[in-house]
Amino acid sequence: MGNFKHDPKKVLLKYFDAFLYDSNFGTRILMFRLPKHLVDIASVEPYLVEGRIMLDEDGKYLVLEIQVNDDSDFFQWVESGGILGQLTPLREQLLQGDCRMLYLAWLKTAAMDDPRGGKRRPSRPCPRGWEI
């Protein structure tokens, strides 16, 4: 990833709780290190999408990784400095069982996979506190 010479997931697991990669060509990756004993894996699993929203186990931690490769805003530069600090409360919400962020990420992946909305994907449970 860019000029970073290390495996971001290994660095995350060893030193940090959150990681954000934002390229100027549309690739965005958000990762959270989560203590395994604090995560209700069953509530996270419905939102996982291969290659997009992944949950990997490593020792006493889980790594939630969300990848968005959206070149629709390729020519719209967005400065991402300071954004990671604004995203870290999402980690705390996940640890408290709040899956709204995962639902929104799942909706984003569904829109990216089918921008015209013609394909029907299996529905996902609406997170607690949201009524549709």
Side-chain angles (χ1 to χ4, degrees), residues 7-126:
D7 179 343
K9 195 177 286 188
K10 288 180 182 177
V11 173
L12 176 78
L13 282 164
K14 191 168 183 179
Y15 299 107
F16 301 103
D17 289 331
F19 169 85
L20 178 66
Y21 173 75
D22 186 17
S23 74
N24 61 348
F25 52 86
T27 299
R28 293 174 180 92
I29 300 171
L30 175 65
M31 288 192 279
F32 291 127
R33 179 182 72 167
L34 307 164
K36 190 181 343 181
H37 70 281
L38 295 178
V39 177
D40 178 10
I41 296 173
S43 68
V44 172
E45 285 179 332
Y47 305 103
L48 301 180
V49 177
E50 186 177 339
R52 306 264 191 184
I53 306 171
M54 293 125 339
L55 188 67
D56 295 321
E57 187 176 333
D58 192 296
K60 60 183 180 177
Y61 294 107
L62 297 170
V63 175
L64 175 69
E65 181 174 354
I66 300 171
Q67 289 190 21
V68 175
N69 299 306
D70 188 3
D71 60 2
S72 65
D73 59 354
F74 180 77
F75 295 104
Q76 299 175 15
W77 180 258
V78 177
E79 189 61 47
S80 61
I83 289 184
L84 183 57
Q86 297 172 26
L87 296 174
T88 55
L90 297 173
R91 178 183 180 272
E92 295 306 315
Q93 292 170 4
L94 281 170
L95 292 175
Q96 295 171 10
D98 185 342
C99 291
R100 290 178 292 178
M101 183 264 300
L102 290 174
Y103 184 71
L104 291 173
W106 176 81
L107 286 173
K108 175 65 175 172
T109 65
M112 288 172 41
D113 291 343
D114 185 21
R116 295 182 186 205
K119 276 194 309 189
R120 296 280 301 164
R121 284 185 132 197
S123 64
R124 297 298 189 260
C126 189

